Amino acid sequence: MLMTILDGSIVTVAMPAIQSDLGFTPVGLSWVVNAYLIAFGSLLLLAGRLGDLLGRRRMFLAGTAVFTAASLLAGVATSPGVLIAARFLQGAGSAMSSAVGLGILVTLFTEPRERARAIAVFSFTGAAGASLGQVLGGLLTDALAWNWIFFINLPIGLATLLVALRALPADRGVGLGAGADVLGAALVTTGLMTGIYAVVKIEEYGAGSAHTLGLGALALALLTGFLVRQAKAANPLMPLRILRSRSVSGANAVQMLMVAALFSFQILVALYLQKVLGYGAAETGLAMLPAAAVIGAVSLGVSARLIARFGERNVLLAGLLLLVGVLGLLARVPARASYATDLLPVMLLAAGFGLALPALTSLAMSGAEEKDAGLASGLFNTTQQIGMALGIAVLSTLAATRTESLTAAGRPAAEALTGGYRLAFAVGAGLLLAALALALTVLRAPGRPGTASPAQNTETEAGSGMRTGPETGAERMTEARTAEAESPAPASAAPTAA
């Protein structure tokens, strides 16, 4: 997970060196990032379902092997075409492994308290990868060469394969006959690939261009065809029952909005530090280190305990409120900012991410049956990538447009850039408020111990056959909350979950 998330951002700092060494054109250089994003985002759902059908362990091992081999190819690339092809293969390998990773985790840890802690470790690892990517990319590029941002994946990938072979239990899957929908697979993969391509090219063509609108309409038609196909197919690739759970569908929708908003924190803050305040790559990483530290401390230290005590929904709401504060403060950041007074409070409020992501992950996986765990994992990762692509396209375009208008009005470069970033931060705060409203209205409030009636405990959602009592979602944890609050788990439980 660390390697997958890290690789999505580690190349950004090394892009100038890659362009100079391999002779990329300015337009072609964007494909070093886009090729990875398109393959990764479009294959997650398919890979997750194939993991359920063929075996999640098998899919995880195959994906890790593909990613590791593609990293070697990227590191030795001597032409733009080879590097872009390697990045596409890296995205495909990442999709195969990460799509089933969360499904493996929730089937290994079935006790609510252990699962909450395991998900907290999983969430922290993803946040750490995002935080370390730019720092590590800058250090490796400066100290060695850009090739090493790919070579570093080789020992990690090989170690992961060796450990996974021994640690992950074998699973046979339910067989291709339970969901070998070739037409559905073609529709969803092509639709997602077309949609993500349209989104990542918005900055080049514009949101209202014929290119963007035409491809967007085609992607929508393909995905609509996929849903129609799934409703009628005898063995659907994605059984629509998974979307009938309010926890699953609501958590994925909230995540899409949250990730789109937080792109402005993860990327635009780094650009603000470098282009406006004049920080170097290593200084930027150190400046953002407090955010990574508090996210890690909250994810690993308190999120599981708070979820067990108050439920996923309440912890999610608290995390979203903190994140609204992050982008609200950034929307007022000046062109001549003081780190201690203007930026450090922002970094500390990023602790909200350490609350929100584990709670969202638990909610997104809570309504899925064990046979659909890979599919639910793939769906959760897919909405994350779609949110990221939307954030990149919308917020970066808004920032660039605002900066251009301020520059044309005669503002100094630093003020023009700051004005563009502030607009993106404000829009991001609005997206987080929409996510907060959605969480309040769609996600169910957790039950309290001893208050659920027998009728509530046997309630089913929209004919899906999935229980919404203590056996799923936030309610499933209520049986452990009192014990968790009164008797902390022994220290040995944490390494087990990890």
Side-chain angles (χ1 to χ4, degrees):
M1 181 65 178
L2 176 71
M3 186 169 61
T4 295
I5 299 298
L6 184 148
D7 215 71
S9 59
I10 194 172
V11 298
T12 55
V13 178
M15 296 277 269
I18 292 173
Q19 182 178 17
S20 174
D21 195 11
L22 298 186
F24 271 97
T25 64
V27 174
L29 187 64
S30 66
W31 281 99
V32 176
V33 174
N34 291 343
Y36 182 90
L37 287 177
I38 290 172
F40 186 41
S42 61
L43 294 174
L44 279 165
L45 196 62
L46 176 61
R49 185 55 175 165
L50 287 177
D52 290 332
L53 300 178
L54 301 175
R56 288 183 282 273
R57 179 179 183 268
R58 184 181 301 172
M59 182 62 66
F60 180 84
L61 292 171
T64 304
V66 169
F67 180 87
T68 305
S71 297
L72 176 61
L73 179 62
V76 300
T78 56
S79 68
V82 172
L83 181 58
I84 291 172
R87 289 288 288 166
F88 189 91
L89 288 174
Q90 276 190 310
S94 292
M96 294 166 66
S97 58
S98 62
V100 296
L102 191 55
I104 291 173
L105 185 147
V106 299
T107 55
L108 287 179
F109 298 96
T110 56
E111 195 275 321
R113 186 169 57 190
E114 284 190 348
R115 177 179 289 187
R117 290 183 171 181
I119 287 176
V121 173
F122 183 88
S123 302
F124 162 73
T125 308
S131 302
L132 288 172
Q134 290 188 323
V135 183
L136 193 57
L139 292 175
L140 288 174
T141 302
D142 289 344
L144 299 170
W146 64 264
N147 313 72
W148 283 91
I149 66 175
F150 301 115
F151 288 149
I152 195 173
N153 293 330
L154 301 182
I156 300 174
L158 292 174
T160 301
L161 286 170
L162 291 174
V163 173
L165 283 169
R166 299 188 59 175
L168 298 183
D171 59 319
R172 297 177 60 86
V174 296
L176 285 175
D181 180 12
V182 177
L183 177 58
L187 286 170
V188 70
T189 304
T190 307
L192 287 171
M193 192 172 292
T194 303
I196 294 172
Y197 172 77
V199 168
V200 299
K201 301 300 284 184
I202 283 178
E203 189 172 0
E204 180 179 344
Y205 290 96
S209 66
H211 180 276
T212 300
L213 295 178
L215 288 178
L218 176 59
L220 184 60
L222 289 168
L223 293 176
T224 301
F226 168 71
L227 292 176
V228 172
R229 168 71 180 175
Q230 299 314 287
K232 297 179 178 180
N235 294 310
L237 180 72
M238 187 184 80
L240 296 184
R241 63 176 179 268
I242 196 172
L243 299 178
R244 297 191 182 108
S245 167
R246 292 179 66 161
S247 293
V248 173
S249 56
N252 277 280
V254 169
Q255 181 191 221
M256 191 180 301
L257 291 169
M258 185 182 79
V259 171
L262 290 179
F263 159 77
S264 61
F265 175 77
Q266 294 172 343
I267 303 299
L268 296 186
V269 168
L271 292 175
Y272 167 77
L273 290 171
Q274 294 184 41
K275 293 188 174 183
V276 177
L277 300 186
Y279 286 29
E283 290 176 302
T284 298
L286 291 174
M288 299 186 72
L289 189 59
V294 295
I295 290 171
V298 171
S299 295
L300 297 177
V302 300
S303 65
R305 194 174 295 272
L306 290 176
I307 287 172
R309 180 81 169 111
F310 300 107
E312 295 102 326
R313 179 178 180 269
N314 289 333
V315 173
L316 170 62
L317 294 175
L320 288 173
L321 282 173
L322 289 175
L323 293 175
V324 170
V326 168
L327 294 188
L329 289 176
L330 285 172
R332 300 165 56 90
V333 72
R336 296 182 179 179
S338 164
Y339 182 81
T341 58
D342 295 313
L343 294 172
L344 184 58
V346 170
M347 302 299 168
L348 298 179
L349 284 176
F353 192 76
L355 294 176
L357 188 56
L360 265 179
T361 305
S362 296
L363 286 166
M365 298 300 295
S366 64
E369 302 174 20
E370 183 174 344
K371 64 182 179 181
D372 295 328
L375 174 61
S377 175
L379 178 63
F380 187 70
N381 282 284
T382 298
T383 57
Q384 188 177 85
Q385 292 304 307
I386 292 174
M388 185 183 299
L390 288 172
I392 292 172
V394 175
L395 298 182
S396 61
T397 300
L398 288 174
T401 302
R402 177 63 174 163
T403 297
E404 289 175 3
S405 65
L406 291 174
T407 301
R411 296 288 186 88
E415 289 186 17
L417 285 168
T418 303
Y421 296 144
R422 287 173 60 170
L423 175 61
F425 295 143
V427 173
L431 292 175
L432 286 174
L433 288 173
L436 186 63
L438 191 63
L440 280 168
T441 55
V442 174
L443 298 178
R444 295 184 184 277
R448 302 298 301 167
T451 62
S453 66
Q456 289 171 324
N457 286 345
T458 57
E459 175 189 0
T460 58
E461 290 188 34
S464 66
M466 290 184 292
R467 296 170 67 88
T468 58
E471 288 76 20
T472 61
E475 291 92 350
R476 184 168 53 190
M477 289 185 161
T478 58
E479 297 173 359
R481 288 181 189 151
T482 303
E484 173 72 3
E486 297 174 356
S487 176
S492 59
T496 302

